[in-house]
Amino acid sequence: MSGAMLTVMLVLFAISVPVAVAIGLAAIVGIHGFTNFPLIVAAQQLFVALDKFPLAAIPFFILAGNLMDVGGISRRLVAFAQSIVGGIQGGLPATCVVTCMIFAAISGSSVATTFAVGAIMIPALVRAGYPVAFAAALQATAAELGVVIPPSIPMILYGVTTQTSIPELFIAGVVPGILIAAALVVTVLIWCRLKGWGKQDGEGRLPFLTATRQAGFALFMPVVVLGGIYGGITTPTEASVVAVAYAILVGMFLHREIGWRDLFPIFRKSVISSAVILFIIACAAVFSWLLNRQGVPDAAAAWLVATFDSPALYLLGVNLFLFVIGMFVETSASIIVLAPVLQEAASRFGIDGVHFGTIMVVNLAMGMITPPFGVNLFAAAQVAGTSVDKMMRYLPVFIGVIFACLMLITYVPAIALALPTLVFR
């Protein structure tokens, strides 16, 4: 049954059927063709998949990100980041990375980060003389920090799917996110030196204290959201509601850049984005439920343990496998379908669940910047008015940097586990 379902899903992917529909149809083929269950069970499982309290955080974090975009928070964060790193050659690309890192601590979404920061940074980079395709490729890459640094929607999905602590997953992403951001900053600074780009990047930047004062409310938001989670005051879901309330307060009454007429378009955009993600989650959950009924995770875990001699080889195999999967399958669907199988095998090797979840999220985040289905690539190309083909000239370097960081995170567990161990264990 599992082979037939996978074949149907891959064929539908190949003919460009939307991801959620392809997975859902494959699950229906499995139910109708290989079980005695009535088809109404598919509708039942769709409901059960979404009837989980932690999933409510997803639409709220998406809404918070959209409110911050319209409310001027992203523009102030750019000015703040530029006041720190913008005064050196290559400072503008470095500003893009640092801004994405800060914005990631608020939005939880890479696509939201791409649009919110890219709408400001890409035109600024082009005006400063950087190639359009370079600016778009950098923005797409830096925006993947949106799913590594907490709060992270893929980490919520991984926690729900594998029964792993979401607060521990959140805090485990902090150091890996900083590592990736630092590696990207060093890369673009060296690149700009070699190419002779960005010699005038320091022009027009605000003094640090002025930029900090203007961005004060924006910078305080991660403290409110993440401080509530780690202080034991709120759950991640409750923190997402706090994020929305704070974004409305700042955007409407403090910055005064959101009017009452702006709310409906913001809510509409957020509802559409949330519905897309939640529909993928529901369909992928039905697919995963059928695989579990057939004992596929246990069988696959046993096969993986027998195939790989050591945890190090297993992690290498998983990273290569996920890197390929990330090119073709949406991140949310990949996590829900694959996490139970891969996590079961990882636990048999004695690999910490929080560490493995961090590896999986960082790896699948690369799928957002790898063709043919990298969502960040298309979002950045849309903002920049360029094509993904032109961005391919610069992407291999950025992908190589992210992959090198992934290897460090994989084989130096302390990078992911130091903070969770300090705070929770």
Side-chain angles (χ1 to χ4, degrees), residues 28-382:
I28 289 174
V29 168
I31 293 172
H32 183 68
F34 299 93
T35 74
N36 294 322
F37 294 122
L39 283 179
I40 196 172
V41 112
Q44 179 193 45
Q45 289 302 316
L46 287 171
F47 176 81
V48 169
L50 299 179
D51 189 23
K52 294 180 174 66
F53 182 68
L55 292 180
I58 293 174
F60 282 112
F61 276 128
I62 290 173
L63 176 57
N66 288 332
L67 286 165
M68 289 182 294
D69 180 21
V70 179
I73 288 179
S74 55
R75 187 179 68 255
R76 288 170 170 82
L77 290 178
V78 168
F80 171 75
Q82 189 175 14
S83 73
I84 300 173
V85 296
I88 56 178
Q89 183 176 349
L92 210 53
T95 297
C96 178
V97 177
V98 173
T99 305
C100 287
M101 182 178 69
I102 300 172
F103 195 85
I106 306 171
S107 71
S109 166
S110 67
V111 176
T113 303
T114 302
F115 280 113
V117 179
I120 300 168
M121 285 307 311
I122 292 176
L125 285 163
V126 173
R127 285 195 301 271
Y130 292 90
V132 176
F134 171 84
L138 174 63
Q139 177 60 62
T141 304
E144 80 162 43
L145 292 167
V147 300
V148 178
I149 292 178
S152 163
I153 291 173
M155 285 184 177
I156 294 172
L157 295 180
Y158 182 90
V160 171
T161 304
T162 63
Q163 302 301 307
T164 303
S165 168
I166 294 175
E168 287 192 43
L169 286 167
F170 273 9
I171 202 169
V174 173
V175 177
I178 294 173
L179 170 66
I180 293 170
L184 288 173
V185 167
V186 170
T187 300
V188 296
L189 290 179
I190 294 173
W191 203 337
C192 289
R193 288 277 182 177
L194 294 175
K195 292 286 189 178
W197 296 337
K199 293 181 179 179
Q200 309 299 321
D201 279 0
E203 295 181 358
R205 71 189 183 107
L206 295 175
F208 175 74
L209 291 179
T210 302
T212 303
R213 184 174 63 253
Q214 292 183 1
F217 293 119
L219 295 171
F220 191 64
M221 189 169 183
V223 177
V224 172
V225 175
L226 300 179
I229 295 173
Y230 303 134
I233 302 170
T234 62
T235 66
T237 305
E238 292 164 346
S240 67
V241 180
V242 172
V244 170
Y246 188 89
I248 290 176
L249 173 66
V250 172
M252 294 190 70
F253 304 107
L254 298 176
H255 292 167
R256 297 184 179 180
E257 295 194 23
I258 298 178
W260 292 104
R261 292 182 178 180
D262 298 319
L263 289 179
F264 179 76
I266 293 171
F267 275 80
R268 183 177 182 274
K269 179 181 178 181
S270 302
V271 167
I272 293 172
S273 299
S274 301
V276 170
I277 293 175
L278 292 173
F279 186 42
I280 292 172
I281 292 169
C283 292
V286 178
F287 190 94
S288 182
W289 172 77
L290 272 177
L291 295 182
N292 281 319
R293 293 280 304 186
Q294 297 297 314
V296 171
D298 289 336
W303 179 82
L304 289 167
V305 170
T307 301
F308 294 97
D309 298 318
S310 67
L313 283 176
Y314 172 71
L315 288 173
L316 179 61
V318 165
N319 274 320
L320 294 175
F321 171 68
L322 289 177
F323 181 73
V324 175
I325 289 295
M327 294 181 182
F328 301 97
V329 183
E330 200 272 338
T331 300
S332 300
S334 299
I335 289 174
I336 294 174
V337 173
L338 297 174
V341 178
L342 300 178
Q343 167 66 11
E344 177 64 25
S347 65
R348 297 189 188 190
F349 278 115
I351 299 168
D352 186 273
V354 173
H355 180 216
F356 188 77
T358 306
I359 293 169
M360 191 166 185
V361 169
V362 172
N363 193 312
L364 290 173
M366 282 195 295
M368 299 174 179
I369 58 169
T370 51
F373 298 125
V375 291
N376 282 13
L377 298 182
F378 294 104
Q382 180 181 340

